[in-house]
Amino acid sequence: MLCDISPQSWKWKKRSACMVCGQLGPWSFRYLVTSDLLERLVTHQLHHYLATASLLPTVQSGFRPCYSTETAVLSVLSDILLAVDRGDFAALVLLDLSAAFDTVDHDILLQRLQTSFGIDGVALKWCQSYLTGRTQHVRRGTDRSATVQLICGFPQGSVLGPSCSLCILLI
């Protein structure tokens, strides 16, 4: 990462449709968002760093490339069957973390990135810049709510949000 600032103009999702392969139909358009491209690059760098530094648990399936809910279910099922075969008691507790992205405290995330994952310098400054100065509002038809400052969570549709939330959940 060469720049420690996330451009303010990219903190709003600006979408423009483009036709793919000249096909027409309901799925022939893809949305190109410049900020999404940057978020994808940062997400890729973050995953690469966490993997090469062995900071991700081997059983972590969520928000990782080449892992899926299928690999998570197979791992849990295997553990349960092995426990039952040994005559052990097996219990499964499921937690719904669907609102986790909306409640991530920015200061705690930045502290966790620095102290637990060793991310500092330009990368940490970029993350701080990415998180601060964001606003949101709700639009329904022609009505629009008041704009509010985001003090926690990630923007809806964020590419980087799930990976940062994963950093909060780890360790």
Side-chain angles (χ1 to χ4, degrees):
M1 184 168 298
L2 299 175
C3 181
D4 63 357
I5 296 174
S6 175
Q8 187 66 34
S9 63
W10 289 7
K11 293 184 181 186
W12 281 98
K13 297 287 182 182
K14 297 180 181 178
R15 301 190 181 274
S16 58
C18 67
M19 196 158 44
V20 177
C21 300
Q23 301 170 353
L24 294 177
W27 303 107
S28 62
F29 291 92
R30 300 285 190 269
Y31 289 99
L32 297 178
V33 182
T34 307
S35 60
D36 283 356
L37 295 175
L38 178 61
E39 286 185 44
R40 285 185 195 284
L41 289 172
V42 172
T43 300
H44 177 75
Q45 283 183 320
L46 178 61
H47 280 277
H48 178 74
Y49 170 73
L50 294 174
T52 56
S54 299
L55 294 172
L56 291 174
T58 56
V59 295
Q60 176 62 43
S61 291
F63 313 116
R64 288 180 69 184
C66 303
Y67 289 82
S68 67
T69 53
E70 184 179 353
T71 58
V73 169
L74 289 174
S75 176
V76 169
L77 181 60
S78 174
D79 290 346
I80 290 172
L81 291 174
L82 287 172
V84 170
D85 286 345
R86 287 190 311 264
D88 294 340
F89 177 76
L92 177 63
V93 177
L94 301 173
L95 301 173
D96 180 7
L97 299 175
S98 59
F101 305 143
D102 298 332
T103 59
V104 171
D105 182 277
H106 295 165
D107 292 332
I108 292 173
L109 172 62
L110 293 169
Q111 180 184 9
R112 176 70 56 92
L113 289 173
Q114 185 175 26
T115 58
S116 299
F117 298 99
I119 297 173
D120 58 7
V122 172
L124 188 66
K125 286 181 183 176
W126 184 90
C127 290
Q128 183 175 19
S129 173
Y130 170 80
L131 293 169
T132 57
R134 290 189 174 272
T135 57
Q136 73 178 18
H137 65 266
V138 177
R139 184 182 302 254
R140 182 177 178 201
T142 57
D143 296 331
R144 183 182 139 176
S145 71
T147 301
V148 295
Q149 185 85 19
L150 286 179
I151 58 171
C152 63
F154 297 96
Q156 294 296 317
S158 168
V159 176
L160 188 56
S163 296
C164 288
S165 294
L166 177 63
C167 290
I168 287 283
L169 296 173
L170 293 175
I171 299 182

